[in-house]
Amino acid sequence: MQESTLPIVKPESHRAFATLALGWLLLAGCESGPQKHNIPPTVVITKGPSGTIATDSAVFAWAGKDLDGTVTGFWYALDDSAAKNWTEDTVLTIRKLSLGQHEFHIQAVDDSGARSSSAYRTFWVDFDSLVLPRGTDTTLEIATWNIENFPKLDDSTVNRVRALMARLDLDIYALQEIADTLAFHRLLSGLTGYAGLYSRDDYGSFYQKTGVVYKTSVVTLTGVRQLFWGNDSVTRPPLEMTVTASYNGKTFDFRLIVLHLKAGGSSSDQALRRATCRLLKDYIDQALAQGPELDFVVAGDWNDLLEDPPQWNIFQRFLDDSTNYRFLTMSLAGNTRYGSYIYTGLLIDHIMVTTDALAEYLGGITQTLRLDDEVSRYEAVVSDHRPVMSTFPVFRGLK
């Protein structure tokens, strides 16, 4: 029988193997030793809007920092938390912002490709770039606007009406159907350069006040009061005030009356509208008899048609006295394109002046502002009425 034998390892070979194994261990230890850990960069927004802005552009600035390397650039986005736009700048202007809430996001990127956490800034744009401005430096603009049970859709309406007023840039808004006075105060609180007031009439749990919003740099109001208070034939006492409109040394003084006549098509509704018109004409006639060159502007929702036949036209007493009264909206009457009540295409919102004011109106224009053509969901959010505006070129010839 052949005996098995074990291999014999010489001492020299054993020492060589041990040395080689130790080298492998040392090499492995070097390769798998403590790894350098990258610290992600950071970023902070140093400039940008917050709260509400009345413009369609915003400037943002930011600063990035990397403790163990360098910042190579930034990813940013608007209204999207996943930043997708690359820039190496630290200042950015975003233009043509839409009306409503926006959120700007920015992330820094370091030289290893690591991103920082997002910095963000939330803000609200009270500016509708789709609406054309109508105010100018050479004219006084007066618009009558039924804003339908304001606010029709809570703060969505407040924000939209505020944005429209700021963008239209008119001098005087004569308003009807202010149903919530707290909402009206919220409207004014964010409307830079304007002030306002509303009537005192109250009908219990539901009421529709008249009011005025005016540009404080141009218009001063005094002597505010309501007419025919307590008269049962007047459903809403007209709101009267003296207006002094001044710009660059030129002044136009007049009395403004804001009214909202009884709605409805029944004979009793028409009788109430006719009674208020009779009282109003008698009142203005007496005022005109007391002093020359006294100008009146009557703006409001009259809830009736200028083109009705004389036998039931509620305006007939004014129309028959063309020596003293003129409806600036007469040229628009009967044309559905210029209708102020959107659902019917009828013009029921009017501006009337006494003839002394025609000198200030010379070269002016009256138009229905078809905001529903410019503003999405206008009827759902703002009103079923369009504003009707007259411009008085009283500030021409500026120095």
Side-chain angles (χ1 to χ4, degrees):
M1 177 182 295
Q2 184 177 2
E3 294 181 356
S4 63
T5 58
L6 295 174
I8 298 173
V9 179
K10 295 181 179 180
E12 293 81 359
S13 299
H14 180 75
R15 286 195 296 268
F17 178 80
T19 301
L20 181 61
L22 180 60
W24 287 341
L25 290 172
L26 291 173
L27 181 62
C30 291
E31 291 182 351
S32 61
Q35 296 292 312
K36 181 180 179 182
H37 179 69
N38 181 59
I39 301 174
T42 59
V43 66
V44 293
I45 297 174
T46 58
K47 180 180 180 180
S50 62
T52 300
I53 62 173
T55 178
D56 66 343
S57 64
V59 178
F60 294 90
W62 54 87
K65 185 177 182 180
D66 189 32
L67 294 177
D68 57 356
T70 59
V71 173
T72 59
F74 305 89
W75 291 103
Y76 71 91
L78 184 70
D79 303 330
D80 187 351
S81 58
K84 300 175 181 178
N85 304 289
W86 176 259
T87 182
E88 296 179 8
D89 296 326
T90 56
V91 178
L92 175 70
T93 300
I94 300 179
R95 306 182 190 280
K96 296 183 178 180
L97 291 163
S98 61
L99 174 73
Q101 181 171 294
H102 296 279
E103 194 166 78
F104 176 77
H105 292 260
I106 186 76
Q107 285 182 299
V109 180
D110 68 12
D111 49 357
S112 68
R115 291 194 185 194
S116 70
S117 298
S118 288
Y120 66 93
R121 184 70 64 89
T122 301
F123 60 101
W124 182 279
V125 175
D126 258 356
F127 186 92
D128 201 329
S129 59
L130 298 178
V131 175
L132 296 175
R134 268 69 169 197
T136 73
D137 287 341
T138 61
T139 59
L140 175 75
E141 306 88 26
I142 303 174
T144 178
W145 194 359
N146 182 319
I147 49 177
E148 194 189 357
N149 292 326
F150 177 84
K152 187 173 184 177
L153 199 61
D154 300 321
D155 277 347
S156 295
T157 301
V158 174
N159 294 329
R160 182 59 63 89
V161 171
R162 184 192 297 122
L164 287 172
M165 287 182 170
R167 180 62 170 165
L168 290 170
D169 195 31
L170 308 188
D171 296 310
I172 298 175
Y173 299 92
L175 304 176
Q176 304 86 45
E177 295 200 15
I178 301 169
D180 184 339
T181 55
L182 293 178
F184 185 75
H185 284 292
R186 292 200 301 275
L187 167 71
L188 293 175
S189 67
L191 191 56
T192 303
Y194 286 86
L197 55 89
Y198 49 81
S199 59
R200 295 184 296 115
D201 41 313
D202 189 342
Y203 314 105
S205 60
F206 177 79
Y207 56 89
Q208 297 176 330
K209 293 177 178 288
T210 53
V212 172
V213 172
Y214 60 97
K215 189 178 291 186
T216 55
S217 61
V218 176
V219 173
T220 301
L221 302 183
T222 56
V224 180
R225 63 177 186 143
Q226 288 187 257
L227 305 177
F228 321 132
W229 196 272
N231 191 314
D232 292 339
S233 63
V234 179
T235 53
R236 285 177 281 257
L239 182 64
E240 184 192 38
M241 65 210 71
T242 298
V243 176
T244 302
S246 300
Y247 189 78
N248 205 15
K250 296 180 179 293
T251 299
F252 176 30
D253 293 314
F254 59 95
R255 294 217 199 145
L256 174 66
I257 296 177
V258 183
L259 78 164
H260 185 190
L261 298 187
K262 180 69 172 67
S266 69
S267 58
S268 61
D269 294 329
Q270 291 177 336
L272 287 171
R273 292 196 290 272
R274 186 175 291 106
T276 302
C277 285
R278 182 178 63 252
L279 289 169
L280 186 62
K281 186 175 187 302
D282 289 344
Y283 170 78
I284 299 176
D285 283 348
Q286 293 174 13
L288 293 177
Q290 294 175 4
E293 297 184 3
L294 184 59
D295 300 334
F296 277 85
V297 177
V298 184
D301 179 0
W302 301 64
N303 266 311
D304 223 314
L305 306 176
L306 284 168
E307 66 272 25
D308 275 346
Q311 60 269 31
W312 60 71
N313 193 318
I314 69 159
F315 307 99
Q316 200 59 45
R317 295 187 74 216
F318 292 113
L319 296 175
D320 288 341
D321 189 0
S322 59
T323 301
N324 293 305
Y325 299 93
R326 200 71 54 86
F327 279 92
L328 303 182
T329 45
M330 180 60 81
S331 61
L332 311 178
N335 188 330
T336 56
R337 174 69 185 171
Y338 306 126
S340 57
Y341 188 51
I342 297 174
Y343 296 146
T344 63
L346 299 175
L347 181 67
I348 60 175
D349 302 88
H350 302 285
I351 299 176
M352 181 189 75
V353 299
T354 50
T355 51
D356 278 337
L358 293 177
E360 285 79 9
Y361 184 68
L362 185 63
I365 188 173
T366 296
Q367 55 188 306
T368 301
L369 304 184
R370 294 180 58 90
L371 297 183
D372 49 312
D373 291 342
E374 303 173 57
V375 178
S376 63
R377 302 184 68 238
Y378 175 87
E379 295 171 61
V381 178
V382 180
S383 179
D384 53 2
H385 285 242
R386 301 175 178 120
V388 177
M389 177 189 73
S390 292
T391 61
F392 296 78
V394 290
F395 305 134
R396 284 181 176 172
L398 301 180
K399 297 178 182 178

